[in-house]
Amino acid sequence: MPPFDVLVSAWQIDWAAVIMISAFGVLYGLGLKSAAANGHRWPLWRTVAFYVLGLGSLAVLTCGFLGVYGSDLRWAFTVKVSLLLFVVPLLIGLGRPISLARAALPPRGIERLNIVLAHPAVRFVSNSLAAPLLGLALFSTFLTPAFHTLRADPLAQALLTFLIPLLGLLMALPIIEEADFQRSSAYITLEFVFVFIELLVDAVPGILLRLNGQVLDHVMTTQAALGWFPDPLRDQRLAGDALWFICEIVDLPLIILMFIRFSRSDKREARGFDDLTDEQLEELNAQHLRGR
């Protein structure tokens, strides 16, 4: 493992990350200004969470140690990509950027936003039943020679810096922005089942990296001048350990949040039934019996 002084002193300028952080920060700031002009008082803690936790974590992962050594160390690259996909979007989502956009935009802008969110491609990626498959497809490339290309090629790294957090945000939207993705309790129950399956599926690439006895990307060189660098096989196994652990641990808060969504959805449906008249309840029962 690297010495502590290397962990805290290794920094670089990742221009792709700088551009993304700047764009997100400016857009969020403009949203805050417009929302205030429209009479909406945005919670301070959400603003702090967005800038400090969300954009701050994005900066640390891309410009700090993991970004500096990600091209040379498999485990550093794996930790960086995993956290960009699973953790950074959750932290950015604490700022509720879509809800802020709804508070800031005029009616026509909100209509356009709704059109974008309702697009089939966006709905597919943000569907919690399909999103885990995208993560599995991404991490499965770590079992092939493409793993080295993703780490070492500057263009590939820049594209990953842009696309991975965006993909993670789309995957996390059903939970973060509950108001925009209201589901029935039956649908959320199905999501629960799929998340438990995901707990097993997500671990597969990490397990294979950890247990394999050969270097899967076929790159056997290492920076021997740095004494703390592991050999390629040890590096791959450390990457497997990190991927396995991160993929399993990040599902726990998602399960908790889904349980909260289920509870709120169940209460919302119960209030809906309470508002029905006796005649409407009898009609619903009759429709249910006819459908059996």
Side-chain angles (χ1 to χ4, degrees), residues 45-242:
W45 75 268
R46 291 201 180 277
T47 303
V48 173
F50 180 85
Y51 282 106
V52 177
L53 298 180
L55 299 187
S57 63
L58 179 57
V60 170
L61 290 175
T62 54
C63 300
F65 173 86
L66 298 178
V68 173
Y69 289 97
S71 59
D72 300 311
L73 290 171
R74 295 168 181 82
W75 71 263
F77 179 82
T78 300
V79 171
K80 181 181 77 170
V81 171
S82 302
L83 296 181
L84 285 177
L85 181 65
F86 292 123
V87 176
V88 170
L90 290 176
L91 297 177
I92 290 177
L94 292 175
R96 292 293 184 95
I98 290 182
S99 298
L100 177 61
R102 293 187 185 281
L105 291 172
R108 180 168 294 184
I110 295 176
E111 182 180 350
R112 291 174 179 172
L113 176 63
N114 291 335
I115 292 174
V116 173
L117 294 176
H119 191 278
V122 176
R123 300 293 286 183
F124 173 78
V125 176
S126 63
N127 190 317
S128 60
L129 302 181
L133 300 179
L134 299 175
L136 177 62
L138 170 64
F139 294 126
S140 294
T141 62
F142 292 6
L143 307 174
T144 71
F147 192 16
H148 178 258
T149 302
L150 294 176
R151 300 194 322 268
D153 185 80
L155 178 59
Q157 289 193 42
L159 289 175
L160 288 177
T161 300
F162 276 112
L163 297 179
I164 296 301
L166 293 177
L167 177 62
L169 279 172
L170 290 176
M171 291 168 60
L173 281 178
I175 296 176
I176 298 173
E177 299 281 358
E178 178 188 359
D180 297 307
F181 294 90
Q182 291 186 353
R183 310 290 193 185
S184 67
S185 57
Y187 188 93
I188 298 175
T189 302
L190 182 61
E191 287 181 325
F192 264 119
V193 175
F194 197 81
V195 165
F196 280 112
I197 297 175
E198 178 195 354
L199 283 170
L200 302 176
V201 173
D202 278 351
V204 171
I207 292 173
L208 293 178
L209 284 172
R210 179 65 179 86
L211 300 181
N212 212 292
Q214 60 181 347
V215 179
L216 297 177
D217 62 11
H218 308 307
V219 178
M220 302 303 297
T221 57
T222 185
Q223 292 192 24
L226 297 176
W228 52 268
F229 259 59
D231 63 76
L233 184 57
R234 175 60 177 165
D235 187 19
Q236 176 178 284
R237 288 176 173 172
L238 288 173
D241 290 338

Side-chain angles (χ1 to χ4, degrees), residues 27-40 100-106:
L27 289 174
Y28 198 85
L30 292 175
L32 290 173
K33 183 178 179 180
S34 297
N38 293 338
H40 295 278
L100 177 61
R102 293 187 185 281
L105 291 172

Side-chain angles (χ1 to χ4, degrees), residues 248-259:
E248 294 301 309
I249 202 67
V250 296
D251 280 324
L252 297 179
L254 293 179
I255 291 175
I256 294 173
L257 290 173
M258 288 179 63
F259 178 79

